[in-house]
Structure formats: structure tokens, C-alpha cells
Amino acid sequence: MEFLADFGLFLAKVVTLVIAVLILVAGVIALGSKQKKGASGHIDVKNLTSDFNELVKDIKSVILDKEDLKKEAKAEKQKEKEEKQAKKVLAKSDQLTTGDTERQKRVYVLDFDGDIKASAVDALREEISAVLSMAEPLDEVIVRLESAGGMVHSYGLAASQLARIKERGIPLTIAVDKVAASGGYMMACIADKIIAAPFAILGSIGVVAQLPNFHRLLKKHDIDVEILTAGEYKRTLTMFGENTQKGRQKFIDDLEDTHVLFKEFVSEHRSAINIEEIGTGEIWFGRRAKDKQLIDEIKTSDEYILEQIDQSDVFHVSYELKKTLPEKLGLAANIALDRLLLKWWDRINQARFYQ
């Protein structure tokens, strides 16, 4: 009887603990969903020119001796002094206008990492709006673009966002280090200049669609699927119904029309290319893409940005979403788990070492 009493007390404690944990988890999820509905973010701006100069200083402080460091510091001070004097001379001679037309060029760097839904377009919209609030025609926007394409309407919207930069008369450069194919190239062709790494993948100016059909499998097991539509072509091909040749042909016609629109769009923005030659759905690596006029220059984004740092103020602009409470807790849990696994792995290795 004493054992049963102890066991009952233990069981009650466990049940109470489990219920408390479930209530806590439910509360966190509910709070997280509320936060997600009103989720907001902020624009984060980093001065890449300053970061790079600090990096150079750190390297010099290790490599150069004290005498050389003094010479470097003296030369920098002299350069800054000369620049300030030059600005004063311009101001006195009224060459420096109220609009500050003689100011240093600013370069804004954005990143677009595209998935099949072009989900990054939401952040891109915010980043472009922020940049357009400050940028002028003497400035430049660089977009580091990585995407193998996806949904037509999603990438059409992403391309339209980039077009906002062009409409304001601000030079736009697209840099492709890995891939800008299909919808990715639809975005890239908007640019005034496209640069790409030697083996970056470009092109794929085509349209593809595929879906499985389970009609025969369902029919074999005597399962009927009824699809009711109003409108002759409301559904052309389906996954569960019996597809007709008429519906299949309409689906193909729609694909062809989308392909024509895609080719017209590329031709409009890259008039130098032979659209019939490159609009076959093929892809080309950077060097071959340059021969086909798909890009303007073989160069990595790092190379191009470093060139701009020498003559411009370069800023990286990104839109950062605030993490919800469940995401923060999940991140903390992952970090704790990683540390636990690392400790466990270290102990195993130590045990092996001392054996």
C-alpha cells in the first residue's frame, strides 16, 4: 500500500509537470503567432568602406613595423587635410552648390537570394524603398543576385521592384557569382550592367511545368474524383481527374505564350542579344554567356565592390525581420543542444585518447 501511495504521488507529479509544460508551450506558440501577424523589421545599413579600411589597418598593424606605420598615419592625415582644403576652395568659388552635386558617389549593395517563390522580394521591396529615399542619379545600386528561378508571377514582381531603380535614373548593376537562371535572369536583364563570375550559370530563358496524374491508380481502386468547373478552361490539366487532349493542348498553348512574353521582356532590356538563339531554355557559364551578350563583364561581386570602395562610399543595405519569441527560444535551444553535443563529443575523444 505504501508503494502504491508513493507511485500515485509520483504519477500525479509527472502529470502536473506535463500539463504545465503543455500550457507553457501553447502560450509561447500563441504569443509567437500574434507577434508574427504584426511582424515588423528594420533597415540595417553597414558602411563597407569603413569596414574595409579598418580591415586594412588591422592587417598593416600586424605586418608593418612602427616606422612604416607612422609614415602611413602621416600620409593619411596629409591626404585628409588636402581633401578638406579642396572642399573649402570649391565652396568659396561657389562650385559646391546647395544641392551638394560634387559630393562623393554612394554605392548601395543589396542581396537577393531567390527560392522558387521569390520569397526574398518582400525584403527587396523594403530595401529598394529605403535606398530610393536617399539615392541620386550620380549614385549606383549593386544587387548581388543568386537564383535558379521559380514562379513566373513572383519573379515578375521582383523584376518590377528592380525597375523602380531604373525609373529613377539611378545606375543598376547586377552581380552574379553562382546562378541567375530563368526567373533569376528575368531579374538580371533589367540592369544597366550585368557582371558574372567565370563559371556562374546564366540563361535558361524558357518555361517548364510538370504535375503527376493519379487518375489510373484511382480508377484501378474504384475511386472517383469529381472536378466541377464553370468556364471551359478553368482546369486544363489536373492531378486526379482524367486529362483530355484538348485540355493538354490548352496547357501547352499557355506555356508557349508565357515563353513568348519572357523572350519579349529579355529583348526589351537586352536588345543586343539574339533572342531566338538564346531563348531555347539552355544555360551558359559566365564566359560563354558573355559571348552570347547575356552579360557585360566577367568579374566577381567582391572584385567589383572593392573597385567601388576605392572611389565611392559603399553601403550594404538589408531588411531584417524581428525574430518571434518561439524563434528566439528555438535558436537558444539549438545553441544549447549544439554545446551539449560538442561536450559529449569531446569527452568521447578524450576517452579514446587516454585509452
Side-chain angles (χ1 to χ4, degrees), residues 120-182:
V121 73
D122 293 330
L124 182 68
R125 176 194 289 119
E126 300 292 342
E127 291 160 4
I128 289 174
S129 295
V131 167
L132 292 181
S133 69
M134 290 294 295
E136 298 175 7
L138 66 97
D139 300 322
E140 182 180 358
V141 176
I142 301 172
V143 178
R144 294 186 289 200
L145 173 64
E146 301 297 339
S147 176
M151 296 178 177
V152 176
H153 58 282
S154 300
Y155 277 90
L157 176 60
S160 298
Q161 292 297 331
L162 293 178
R164 292 169 58 198
I165 299 169
K166 294 281 295 294
E167 286 165 6
R168 290 283 291 272
I170 300 164
L172 173 63
T173 299
I174 296 290
V176 183
D177 288 326
K178 294 179 183 177
V179 57
S182 194

Side-chain angles (χ1 to χ4, degrees), residues 190-210:
I190 292 281
D192 296 293
K193 179 166 60 178
I194 304 175
I195 63 171
F199 289 95
I201 296 172
L202 300 111
S204 189
I205 301 171
V207 185
V208 63
Q210 63 180 3

Side-chain angles (χ1 to χ4, degrees), residues 28-264:
V28 169
I29 291 171
L31 182 61
S33 62
K34 283 181 182 177
Q35 287 182 350
K36 204 163 188 180
K37 285 178 184 176
S40 60
H42 66 278
I43 291 292
D44 184 60
V45 182
K46 291 181 181 176
N47 190 325
L48 297 184
T49 303
S50 296
D51 289 351
F52 179 74
N53 290 337
E54 286 298 321
L55 179 65
V56 172
K57 284 180 182 178
D58 290 342
I59 293 172
K60 285 180 178 179
S61 66
V62 175
I63 294 174
L64 301 179
D65 56 33
K66 288 183 179 180
E67 283 299 318
D68 289 333
L69 283 171
K70 284 181 181 178
K71 288 178 183 177
E72 285 280 340
K74 191 175 180 180
E76 283 181 16
K77 284 182 181 178
Q78 183 63 30
K79 186 180 177 182
E80 287 175 7
K81 189 177 178 182
E82 289 173 359
E83 286 176 354
K84 285 180 181 178
Q85 287 176 347
K87 282 185 179 180
K88 284 180 182 178
V89 170
L90 285 171
K92 285 179 182 178
S93 61
D94 292 327
Q95 290 183 32
L96 192 61
T97 64
T98 309
D100 199 19
T101 54
E102 298 297 324
R103 68 166 172 80
Q104 180 93 327
K105 174 186 173 183
R106 295 182 188 129
V107 175
Y108 301 92
V109 181
L110 314 180
D111 290 308
F112 185 90
D113 189 1
D115 55 19
I116 196 168
K117 295 180 180 179
S119 305
V121 73
D122 293 330
L124 182 68
R125 176 194 289 119
E126 300 292 342
E127 291 160 4
I128 289 174
S129 295
V131 167
L132 292 181
S133 69
M134 290 294 295
E136 298 175 7
L138 66 97
D139 300 322
E140 182 180 358
V141 176
I142 301 172
V143 178
R144 294 186 289 200
L145 173 64
E146 301 297 339
S147 176
M151 296 178 177
V152 176
H153 58 282
S154 300
Y155 277 90
L157 176 60
S160 298
Q161 292 297 331
L162 293 178
R164 292 169 58 198
I165 299 169
K166 294 281 295 294
E167 286 165 6
R168 290 283 291 272
I170 300 164
L172 173 63
T173 299
I174 296 290
V176 183
D177 288 326
K178 294 179 183 177
V179 57
S182 194
Y185 191 76
M186 180 189 287
M187 291 178 67
C189 72
I190 292 281
D192 296 293
K193 179 166 60 178
I194 304 175
I195 63 171
F199 289 95
I201 296 172
L202 300 111
S204 189
I205 301 171
V207 185
V208 63
Q210 63 180 3
L211 71 161
N213 184 265
F214 302 98
H215 175 69
R216 284 186 292 176
L217 177 65
L218 296 173
K219 189 175 181 181
K220 182 179 177 182
H221 292 279
D222 297 325
I223 299 172
D224 293 324
V225 176
E226 293 187 9
I227 300 173
L228 308 176
T229 62
E232 186 178 0
Y233 295 116
K234 181 61 180 176
R235 284 289 180 271
T236 50
L237 297 184
T238 70
M239 291 176 62
F240 301 108
E242 183 177 4
N243 292 322
T244 64
Q245 187 56 40
K246 188 176 181 181
R248 190 174 290 107
Q249 186 57 52
K250 173 60 177 170
F251 194 89
I252 293 170
D253 291 343
D254 290 341
L255 285 182
E256 290 289 348
D257 185 49
T258 306
H259 188 208
V260 169
L261 286 170
F262 192 178
K263 290 194 291 184
E264 288 174 353

